[in-house]
Amino acid sequence: MSTIIDGKEIAATIKTEIATEVKSLLDHGRPAPHLAVIIAGQDGAALSYVNSIEKQCKGVGYICSAYKFPEDVKEKDILDTIDFLNRDDEVNGYIIQMPLPKQVSIDKVTAHVDPRKDMDCFHPANMGNLLLGKECFLPATPHGVMELIRRSNIDTTGKECVILGRSNIVGKPLAMLLLQKDANATVTVCHSRTKNLKRVCSRADILIVAIGQPEMITEDYVKEKATVIDVGIHRIPDVGQPNGYRVCGDVKYDEVSKKCEAITPVPGGVGPMTMACLLQNTMTAYHRQNDGNTLQ
Ligand code: NDP
């Protein structure tokens, strides 16, 4: 059986480190870090993520403000809120929760964000700095994956690393992070048009899956003794469960865990790390804004 990479435990360690730092700030008469969230509409997963952010902020001692809008919100109201948050010195960072209603342009919204407060790394300036290997806020999920790898002492240097999925929020930024000189992996990125997917995946020493396809990755995609990181998260109907569903990832866990060396479970793998890294970004923004250490 493989080693389980316990994202819940690693995230708890990060949150304890953050809570200790917040306490020290407060003991020195300084304000707590402040994270804001903008959300529009009634998407269940988005609402539950935002509720979780509010709860986790409270848990580490942060201030959290949520700006909640109806589905028919005007684009101008979202842009005005962003302007307000950009000007508010008491807010260190914010995220704009996706999906946004169709009348709101994601490009306009993203361009409005002050890169110094861009906790999700959506702004082109932050994305560009990420590509160049310069200092920037790292997108929470890829950052969470890297922290999982590092804190589990998994060496990436010279390793064949295959990423399944090329989204702007997971696959592409993760590829950039693994290519950088502190990671030194040999990176392949796959997508829905990749040919011979099984063969490409079977090369991987480290296989990272972010495709949004429940349990698609079976043991025949995985090399013996590989490390498997499952970013996917789904609720699928299951009449055998009291609530009528079960949570799973993009990887068929029971099968793959028998073949690989180490694996992240779902839930309890990458998910908690995303939240912990969002909190870490907020602390970084706090120090940059209050201690004179600014992003370029
Ligand atoms: P997207 O839908 O934006 O991207 C999916 C990617 O997977 C695309 O590049 C797509 O290819 C590729 N893909 C889809 N189907 C296949 C297939 N059959 N074979 C090969 N490639 C395929 O998804 P996200 O990156 O936003 O999310 C991926 C998963 O991660 C989802 O399950 C999501 O819920 C989860 N997630 C989890 C987070 C967490 O904190 N745990 C945070 C963010 C996401 P193409 O580009 O060609 O369409």
Side-chain angles (χ1 to χ4, degrees), residues 20-78:
T20 307
E21 201 173 342
V22 175
K23 187 175 176 308
S24 159
L25 288 170
L26 297 176
D27 287 348
H28 286 85
R30 297 183 63 181
H34 186 161
L35 175 68
V37 185
I38 298 175
I39 179 169
Q42 292 300 317
D43 181 90
L47 284 167
S48 103
Y49 183 56
V50 170
N51 286 340
S52 177
I53 291 174
E54 290 180 282
K55 204 170 128 202
Q56 303 279 340
C57 279
K58 202 171 162 199
V60 296
Y62 283 5
I63 301 162
C64 183
S65 319
Y67 294 80
K68 297 180 180 171
F69 293 95
E71 184 73 31
D72 63 354
V73 62
K74 290 191 176 65
E75 184 180 79
K76 185 176 180 309
D77 292 335
I78 301 281

Side-chain angles (χ1 to χ4, degrees), residues 141 164-167 169-170 190-193 197 210-213 216 231-234 250 270-271 274:
T141 301
L164 268 176
R166 58 175 164 182
S167 73
I169 64 163
V170 187
C190 302
H191 44 80
S192 64
R193 307 295 177 92
L197 194 62
I211 48 176
Q213 306 287 344
M216 187 184 116
V231 181
I233 182 149
H234 311 273
D250 290 342
V270 174
T274 296

